[in-house]
Amino acid sequence: MPENPVESKPDDAMGAIAAPPRRSEWRRFVRVFFGRKLYLIGFIIVAIIVFTAIFAPLLTSYNPEKNDLPARLQTPNAEHWLGTDQMGRDILCRIIYGTRVSLIIGFSAVFASTIAGTIMGLAAAHYGGWVFAVIMRVADVLMALPAIILMMLIAGMLKGGGIWIVVFALGFGGIAPMCRMMCGQALSVKQNDYVMAARAVGMSNWRIMWTQIFPNAYPPLIVGLTMGIGGVVLGEAGLSFLGIGVQAPTPSWGGMVMDGQRFLLTNPLLSLMPGLAIMLLVFGFNMVGDGVRDAIDPRLRGVI
Amino acid sequence: MALLDVQELQTYFHTEYGLVKAADKVTFHVNEGEIIGLVGESGCGKSVSILSVMRLIPSPPGETVGGKVIFEGKDLLKYQPNGREMRAIRGSKLTMIFQEPMTSLNPVLTVSRQLTETLELHLDMDKRAARERAIELLRMVGVPDAPRRIDDYPHQFSGGMRQRVMIAMALSCNPAVIFADEPTTAVDVTTQAQLLELMKDLVTRLNTSLVIVTHNLGVVARYAERIYVMYAGRIIESGRSEDIFGHPRHPYTVGLLNSVPRLGERHGTRKLIPIYGLPPNLINMPQTCAFLPRCTEKIGKCEKEPWPELRAVGDDHYISCYVDIKGK
Amino acid sequence: MDESQNDMIVQVKNLKMYFPITRGLLRRKVADIKAVDDISFEIKRNETMGLVGESGCGKTTTGRCVLRLYEPTSGSIIFTGHDISKMPERKIQRYRKDMGAIWQDPFGSLNPRQSAGGIVGDPLKVHHMADKSELKDKVAELFRIVGLDPDMMDRVPHEFSGGQRQRIGVARALACSPSLIICDEPISALDVSIQAQIINLLEELQEKLGLTYLFIAHDLAVVQHISDRVGVMYLGRIMEIADSWELYENPLHPYTKALLSAIPIPDPVAEKTRTRIVLKGEVPSPVAPPPGCHFHPRCQMAIPECSQARPPLRDVGNGHYVACIRV
């Protein structure tokens, strides 16, 4: 046999070869994500929103909840850039603080529904049989109820309208879709040979679930999570607009739109500005979600 | 004069990681009524070459940037890939059989629709004549109970039968050349034997030329008169079948033949001699011979000079190598 | 274990594996897919047993039954003296340690989200064969054994080529120093020039570590090259078992003959003189296999008696068994 021509280490006897150069997953992610303008714009919007929420007190010197009746219903001027509402509160200030409320509700509700949905979905896919049937039928029922009605039902039952009740209502509505998605993903991942291989190795079902199935099923989850935030914020706005969401005087964009509608003809900015904020946030998160999806796994396009 | 003459065909792909010369100066010809084999491992450019001839390279990212494909005295590369001239040739005079018939047959149309469509399109047949011809074609490729089965959908056929339907479609317009891209890779050995015998039989009877594209050396040994061996986008050896298998001259061909187990070797008598290393990554390849890192016969010249052009080493036998390992 | 008395690693006796086809809401059983229909064979220690056959012949199912990934419908699988065919999942783990598996698809059989080192180390962790400090060294050692650079341990599978991935698969199979390895089409997804590397690796490992293989493949040339004994399967049954060379020199079953003649040889001169038996028709469905000998509808030598009763696998001497009444 001729001499092995590959530059050899002693271990090369059986034809070991250096792996091809590493291609960083992360770098690919960054390149795809920031390679498209729309995703970049979305990312910038989200970054600005998050920044605004965190540093709200530094961005405005007004108190969002303190009434100043003499200064009510002002049009934009040097002191109040976007004017004031019927209680004399600065609109810009309330929008800025409203970001906090929106994000807190958005993140909490989505995280809660994701965790619950994931566990339910994985359990359904994993145990099959009766567990699968029961969980999926419950999810079907939840999905069949229009989300807004479900949320109104919960919000109405629990009364009050604190932030956490809104979170609960919105999060509950998000469980079913998450659960279905996770279950579908897990079932398809389960078909892979490596799951069979893990069983042959002697792994317990529990371990297979968390080391083999979950890590391969979660990419759409992240996308769903990102996009879900936009949806929840929209939902919160809807609830607040109907008056069963976040209660005054806590600044909430949906509530502001509702408050402003009475003055739509005289001072349209009152409703328009928070509406615009909602739109931007939803657009931003959707774009980021799209970008994440394309960067994680382009095959998911059309699935989510 | 060759029926189909492909000269210095160059098809490049622009990928996000760099330029891939998928087919680089590929030259081959097909004579009338001849069976030739295009052999190589996955990614060597064999499929790209024939897809380029058929003008079926998706663009972007692919692009045929140079060369000539002379068929019936005309250069096919001068035509628009989807122009009228090309469409008139593709599917009638030059046809293809794909590896996976399930994905190349339309699942929602009956076999009859798919067969008669080409006949009506290319041969101007009316519906009844086309149907009769389609049934005759199915009989010819050995589909039992053809008049009834013609109205079935592709999924109602088994893998082997689907491939027969593909062959019938490829034959429908009396083509000059059939390109069979890994026609038997998706089927079992006994079915493979059935299909290959059938194809050989049909092309001899109809005086059609057949180009078998495959990674399986055994498949072409029995049927092909001439063989082209490809590696990393280029043809590295070509010649008559007996010469390629009996007296291979390129180190890669030699290595390939030594590395496959053969039927009828007593267990434990011969150790296989593998080709070390990996097939090359085609992205931004160096100028030198792509087989160099795996070659056991390399000489100093190989490292310095660019990849050599094909040169004659015998009667109709060409290799692209500075070394000539005649002795083996 | 009484290995001295019995050097059989695996004895498969009358193994049947039927998969029910169910319909409707109540999952009523309407038929069975008879994937494996009453087969018996045994594998000696340090020997390679090849199982060859076309897709759907039940060879993969047989391998998975031996691994007890499926619970057999009936029959027994005696692994190193213990019948594992009916053992509950909990007890089986102990024997899984002593069996390895190499899978067909080097892309599908490795978890894409796990590092190569993690994949190879999994069996060690599962069976508590290495504590944290040892684990890395043991995995590195396994990498070296299969000819991979241990520095590549924390890379994920997609960073490796097909051949290298299959080496990772081999390392995983070797991790717990098993005595039996089930190789299910281990090379059919690899490039031609890489296949020989893996075959040689398997042969070298067998010599060095005294392994026993159940080698499952559709390519008779490969099976014959690597195996001591070969079993030919057709539609869930074993048609013929013989020593590998004997099977080539003196094939008795008409199906084996057809299979041998269908395999192309890369030698045009030899090919010109070979006659090819082209089988008529196609493999019937395993849901409703033909009565009697499963092969008789396609067999050139079939006589009416062939459809009457199942031909037994009988000894024709020289360790050669054939299930055909015509020879």
Side-chain angles (χ1 to χ4, degrees):
Chain A
M1 200 161 77
E3 228 179 52
N4 181 0
V6 185
E7 317 91 286
S8 11
K9 291 188 187 165
D11 303 322
D12 265 359
M14 280 181 289
I17 339 85
R22 293 197 77 154
R23 244 179 234 153
S24 159
E25 239 340 63
W26 174 241
R27 237 191 282 154
R28 198 189 66 89
F29 183 94
V30 169
R31 195 170 40 84
V32 175
F33 189 87
F34 292 110
R36 263 160 252 179
K37 274 210 188 77
L38 218 50
Y39 302 159
L40 188 65
I41 293 173
F43 180 78
I44 292 171
I45 291 174
V46 168
I48 291 174
I49 288 171
V50 171
F51 179 87
T52 311
I54 295 171
F55 298 104
L58 302 179
L59 297 176
T60 171
S61 49
Y62 294 100
N63 182 333
E65 297 182 12
K66 196 176 158 214
N67 298 347
D68 181 12
L69 288 173
R72 60 199 288 263
L73 290 173
Q74 285 184 10
T75 44
N77 54 52
E79 263 175 53
H80 302 286
W81 292 356
L82 295 179
T84 56
D85 66 3
Q86 74 282 8
M87 299 293 183
R89 296 171 295 203
D90 184 73
I91 306 262
L92 183 64
C93 167
R94 279 179 65 80
I95 287 178
I96 288 172
Y97 277 93
T99 318
R100 278 188 168 180
V101 175
S102 291
L103 283 190
I104 288 173
I105 291 175
F107 277 110
S108 324
V110 166
F111 273 116
S113 60
T114 302
I115 290 170
T118 301
I119 291 173
M120 282 168 65
L122 277 179
H126 182 66
Y127 293 105
W130 282 110
V131 182
F132 175 86
V134 169
I135 291 181
M136 293 324 274
R137 291 302 83 77
V138 169
D140 281 347
V141 170
L142 286 181
M143 296 263 283
L145 277 172
I148 193 85
I149 293 185
L150 190 73
M151 290 184 289
M152 283 168 68
L153 224 79
I154 295 172
M157 274 190 312
L158 292 172
K159 304 239 169 57
I163 285 185
W164 298 109
I165 286 169
V166 176
V167 166
F168 180 76
L170 294 170
F172 196 78
I175 290 177
M178 272 296 176
C179 166
R180 290 189 67 106
M181 185 169 74
M182 203 61 210
C183 181
Q185 275 290 312
L187 282 176
S188 87
V189 169
K190 229 175 145 180
Q191 302 298 319
N192 281 307
D193 267 359
Y194 55 82
V195 177
M196 181 77 87
R199 280 188 59 208
V201 153
M203 258 188 220
S204 64
N205 283 337
W206 182 249
R207 194 177 187 136
I208 288 174
M209 180 133 145
W210 291 111
T211 65
Q212 311 291 314
I213 296 180
F214 179 69
N216 288 289
Y218 83 88
L221 203 80
I222 293 188
V223 182
L225 216 130
T226 326
M227 292 195 172
I229 290 175
V232 167
V233 169
L234 215 53
E236 181 270 332
L239 285 182
S240 297
F241 185 82
L242 295 171
I244 49 177
V246 177
Q247 297 298 306
T250 314
S252 138
W253 293 346
M256 289 170 72
V257 174
M258 184 191 71
D259 290 344
Q261 64 162 337
R262 282 186 288 149
F263 310 97
L264 210 55
L265 291 177
T266 49
N267 198 350
L269 283 183
L270 247 55
S271 285
L272 230 58
M273 279 302 144
L276 197 68
I278 294 169
M279 211 182 79
L280 271 178
L281 184 141
V282 173
F283 171 79
F285 274 102
N286 277 358
M287 281 306 114
V288 170
D290 267 348
V292 170
R293 178 195 60 199
D294 280 6
I296 290 184
D297 189 351
R299 283 168 304 174
L300 292 174
R301 190 176 301 182
V303 177
I304 305 173
Chain B
M1 233 309 264
L3 177 64
L4 175 73
D5 197 359
V6 179
Q7 297 164 11
E8 308 245 313
L9 180 74
Q10 288 175 303
T11 298
Y12 295 171
F13 282 82
H14 304 277
T15 71
E16 38 182 318
Y17 299 110
L19 183 68
V20 170
K21 296 184 179 178
D24 200 11
K25 296 189 194 155
V26 171
T27 300
F28 67 92
H29 64 272
V30 187
N31 295 321
E32 205 181 314
E34 187 186 36
I35 301 181
I36 70 163
L38 206 53
V39 188
E41 299 176 78
S42 52
C44 74
K46 51 193 196 303
S47 296
V48 167
S49 299
I50 59 163
L51 287 175
S52 304
V53 171
M54 298 285 283
R55 308 301 310 278
L56 286 171
I57 295 290
S59 172
E63 195 186 351
T64 301
V65 293
K68 281 184 184 152
V69 176
I70 311 288
F71 177 66
E72 293 181 333
K74 299 201 183 63
D75 184 358
L76 300 188
L77 296 187
K78 295 248 157 58
Y79 296 147
Q80 284 298 312
N82 269 319
R84 197 169 40 81
E85 299 96 335
M86 207 52 231
R87 285 204 315 266
I89 293 172
R90 191 165 52 215
S92 73
K93 288 176 179 161
L94 301 180
T95 57
M96 269 192 90
I97 298 168
F98 293 93
Q99 170 174 352
E100 194 18 89
M102 198 58 212
T103 52
S104 35
L105 289 172
N106 188 337
V108 297
L109 297 182
T110 60
V111 162
S112 132
R113 260 300 289 285
Q114 302 188 49
L115 270 168
T116 53
E117 197 166 20
T118 21
L119 291 169
E120 286 165 28
L121 195 72
H122 288 299
L123 299 184
D124 259 342
M125 285 187 174
D126 63 38
K127 278 217 154 61
R128 172 172 304 191
R131 189 178 163 89
E132 252 155 47
R133 168 88 177 131
I135 292 174
E136 187 196 320
L137 281 165
L138 285 185
R139 265 203 203 108
M140 212 157 78
V141 296
V143 173
D145 203 6
R148 195 177 56 80
R149 299 228 57 190
I150 192 167
D151 292 316
D152 282 352
Y153 289 89
H155 69 89
Q156 291 169 293
F157 289 84
S158 70
M161 280 299 150
R162 278 199 288 268
Q163 203 55 300
R164 283 173 195 260
V165 172
M166 280 297 289
I167 295 172
M169 281 176 78
L171 283 172
S172 57
C173 302
N174 298 316
V177 185
I178 301 174
F179 295 96
D181 190 359
E182 303 271 8
T184 58
T185 308
V187 298
D188 281 315
V189 266
T190 54
T191 315
Q192 167 174 294
Q194 288 174 344
L195 291 173
L196 288 170
E197 290 293 330
L198 173 77
M199 283 202 288
K200 156 109 182 163
D201 198 50
L202 288 170
V203 296
T204 334
R205 229 167 66 203
L206 306 170
N207 198 31
T208 301
S209 305
L210 176 65
V211 180
I212 302 178
V213 177
T214 180
H215 68 280
N216 187 335
L217 292 163
V219 166
V220 282
R222 187 178 174 98
Y223 300 99
E225 287 147 56
R226 288 184 302 114
I227 308 265
Y228 293 88
V229 183
M230 287 192 74
Y231 187 76
R234 292 213 193 189
I235 286 172
I236 51 103
E237 181 161 9
S238 73
R240 285 194 297 259
S241 187
E242 308 89 75
D243 291 333
I244 297 283
F245 288 102
H247 314 281
R249 304 283 273 274
H250 193 285
Y252 174 66
T253 317
V254 174
L256 214 51
L257 287 167
N258 279 337
S259 67
V260 291
R262 299 193 180 192
L263 206 54
E265 279 170 351
R266 197 182 272 271
H267 167 70
T269 49
R270 186 175 78 105
K271 234 179 124 73
L272 302 177
I273 306 169
I275 303 178
Y276 285 100
L278 301 173
N281 183 345
L282 291 180
I283 295 160
N284 302 329
M285 280 208 302
Q287 289 288 302
T288 49
C289 170
F291 189 59
L292 185 66
R294 307 174 74 184
C295 188
T296 51
E297 307 287 338
K298 65 182 165 200
I299 54 174
K301 197 177 177 187
C302 300
E303 317 248 10
K304 290 173 209 113
E305 306 278 320
W307 200 339
E309 303 289 323
L310 282 171
R311 65 188 171 94
V313 288
D315 191 16
D316 203 13
H317 193 170
Y318 300 86
I319 62 170
S320 140
C321 184
Y322 292 115
V323 196
D324 185 2
I325 40 173
K326 208 180 305 178
K328 305 218 164 176
Chain C
M1 278 180 257
D2 46 353
E3 281 154 40
S4 48
Q5 176 213 341
N6 188 353
D7 69 341
M8 292 297 171
I9 275 221
V10 177
Q11 287 165 287
V12 172
K13 286 182 193 157
N14 304 100
L15 178 71
K16 281 186 191 173
M17 185 69 229
Y18 293 176
F19 295 100
I21 306 174
T22 54
R23 286 272 154 73
L25 253 176
L26 298 172
R27 311 197 133 260
R28 195 163 42 87
K29 191 176 104 171
V30 289
D32 276 318
I33 300 171
K34 296 176 179 165
V36 175
D37 191 13
D38 196 352
I39 65 166
S40 305
F41 63 92
E42 42 203 28
I43 312 175
K44 283 202 208 86
R45 194 170 282 279
N46 210 0
E47 152 185 285
T48 301
M49 166 87 193
L51 271 187
V52 71
E54 300 179 278
S55 52
C57 73
K59 54 189 194 302
T60 295
T61 308
T62 307
R64 290 183 180 178
C65 284
V66 174
L67 281 165
R68 259 306 304 276
L69 293 171
Y70 298 149
E71 188 174 334
T73 310
S74 72
S76 57
I77 297 161
I78 296 162
F79 177 66
T80 56
H82 308 269
D83 188 352
I84 58 169
S85 59
K86 294 277 177 293
M87 240 178 226
E89 191 74 11
R90 196 168 27 80
K91 277 177 82 181
I92 214 95
Q93 304 297 13
R94 189 144 59 96
Y95 300 98
R96 289 239 165 95
K97 194 178 75 171
D98 218 16
M99 295 184 213
I102 300 169
W103 305 81
Q104 168 171 13
D105 179 3
F107 293 84
S109 62
L110 303 177
N111 183 349
R113 303 256 164 209
Q114 220 178 346
S115 71
I119 291 170
V120 174
D122 264 346
L124 292 169
K125 274 195 269 177
V126 168
H127 297 291
H128 311 289
M129 307 228 341
D131 55 41
K132 271 222 168 75
S133 56
E134 293 173 309
L135 189 66
K136 210 173 163 198
D137 290 340
K138 286 206 172 169
V139 172
E141 178 58 27
L142 285 163
F143 267 57
R144 261 180 235 116
I145 290 175
V146 298
L148 285 171
D149 184 350
D151 290 343
M152 305 193 290
M153 246 158 51
D154 41 278
R155 300 197 172 194
V156 289
H158 79 254
E159 297 184 74
F160 293 87
S161 70
Q164 290 173 325
R165 284 158 168 254
Q166 202 54 304
R167 285 171 195 268
I168 297 172
V170 175
R172 168 173 62 189
L174 289 175
C176 295
S177 329
S179 40
L180 174 71
I181 293 185
I182 284 130
C183 313
D184 188 0
E185 300 267 14
I187 62 160
S188 60
L190 301 176
D191 261 330
V192 189
S193 75
I194 304 297
Q195 292 185 349
Q197 293 181 6
I198 299 296
I199 295 179
N200 280 4
L201 175 69
L202 291 174
E203 286 180 340
E204 277 161 38
L205 289 172
Q206 179 167 44
E207 224 167 275
K208 237 193 298 191
L209 307 172
L211 297 169
T212 309
Y213 292 136
L214 175 58
F215 193 94
I216 297 162
H218 68 278
D219 185 344
L220 190 47
V222 173
V223 172
Q224 216 224 336
H225 176 91
I226 199 167
S227 309
D228 298 283
R229 283 173 70 70
V230 177
V232 179
M233 286 188 76
Y234 182 81
L235 211 55
R237 292 181 182 168
I238 290 181
M239 296 284 145
E240 187 165 7
I241 297 188
D243 284 347
S244 145
W245 178 246
E246 166 82 11
L247 190 80
Y248 171 76
E249 276 289 274
N250 184 25
L252 293 175
H253 200 285
Y255 178 65
T256 315
K257 286 181 187 166
L259 202 57
L260 277 166
S261 88
I263 288 171
I265 304 176
D267 180 351
V269 185
E271 277 286 3
K272 295 250 151 71
T273 60
R274 233 152 65 103
T275 44
R276 185 165 270 190
I277 306 169
V278 177
L279 287 177
K280 52 191 174 186
E282 306 196 311
V283 184
S285 152
V287 177
C293 172
H294 280 178
F295 185 62
H296 84 263
R298 308 178 71 194
C299 184
Q300 290 172 321
M301 294 162 65
I303 51 171
E305 285 74 40
C306 289
S307 58
Q308 301 300 316
R310 172 179 183 166
L313 194 65
R314 66 196 162 83
D315 193 350
V316 289
N318 211 2
H320 196 147
Y321 296 81
V322 62
C324 180
I325 54 171
R326 297 279 282 140
V327 293

